[in-house]
């Protein structure tokens, strides 16, 4: 009969220990869930801010590229025609200058 009280006491101690471990595991699990949720929220916030920043940079780059419009083939042809016309006028003026008598001051 001596064995039963000790067994009962051992079971009570075992059950108390099991209950304490269960509570600790549950509390740790809840804390881990909270940390995971906060980490997920932080990642989402960082990702959203990164996307917003990228969109802003992309818009500024597009705007800068639009402002740096490269000349078209037609633009280059027009410039070539203007240079040719100016060259012709300079040659004409030089020819006129050579044909006039020099005046000494």
């Amino acid at each position: 009969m001596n064995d039963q009280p000790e067994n009962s006491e051992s079971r009570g101690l075992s059950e108390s220990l099991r209950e304490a471990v269960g509570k600790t595991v549950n509390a740790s699990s809840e804390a881990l869930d909270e940390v995971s949720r906060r980490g997920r929220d932080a990642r989402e916030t960082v990702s959203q801010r990164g996307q917003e920043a990228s969109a802003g940079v992309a818009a500024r780059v597009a705007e800068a590229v639009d402002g740096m419009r490269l000349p078209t083939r037609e633009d280059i042809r027009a410039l070539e025609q203007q240079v040719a016309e100016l060259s012709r006028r300079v040659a004409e003026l030089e020819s006129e200058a050579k044909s006039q008598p020099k005046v000494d001051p």
Side-chain angles (χ1 to χ4, degrees):
M1 296 245 181
N2 271 349
D3 287 341
Q4 282 187 352
E6 284 179 23
N7 258 348
S8 175
E9 191 176 300
S10 291
R11 282 187 189 140
L13 182 59
S14 251
E15 193 58 37
S16 295
L17 184 57
R18 188 172 301 135
E19 185 177 320
V21 168
K23 287 180 180 180
T24 302
V25 167
N26 284 340
S28 296
S29 177
E30 289 172 7
L32 181 60
D33 288 345
E34 177 65 18
V35 168
S36 294
R37 184 190 63 76
R38 286 182 180 177
R40 193 172 35 254
D41 290 348
R43 281 192 309 273
E44 288 173 3
T45 300
V46 167
S47 175
Q48 182 179 5
R49 288 181 182 168
Q51 289 173 353
E52 290 169 357
S54 294
V57 167
R60 288 194 300 273
V61 167
E63 186 177 306
V65 168
D66 285 345
M68 297 181 344
R69 184 182 69 88
L70 297 175
T72 65
R73 191 159 184 80
E74 290 176 13
D75 293 337
I76 292 171
R77 283 188 184 140
L79 288 172
E80 287 173 342
Q81 288 175 351
Q82 288 177 359
V83 168
E85 176 63 23
L86 289 171
S87 293
R88 185 191 61 76
R89 289 179 63 197
V90 167
E92 186 180 301
L93 290 170
E94 286 176 343
S95 175
E96 287 177 12
K98 286 180 183 177
S99 65
Q100 293 180 354
K102 289 187 180 180
V103 177
D104 286 331

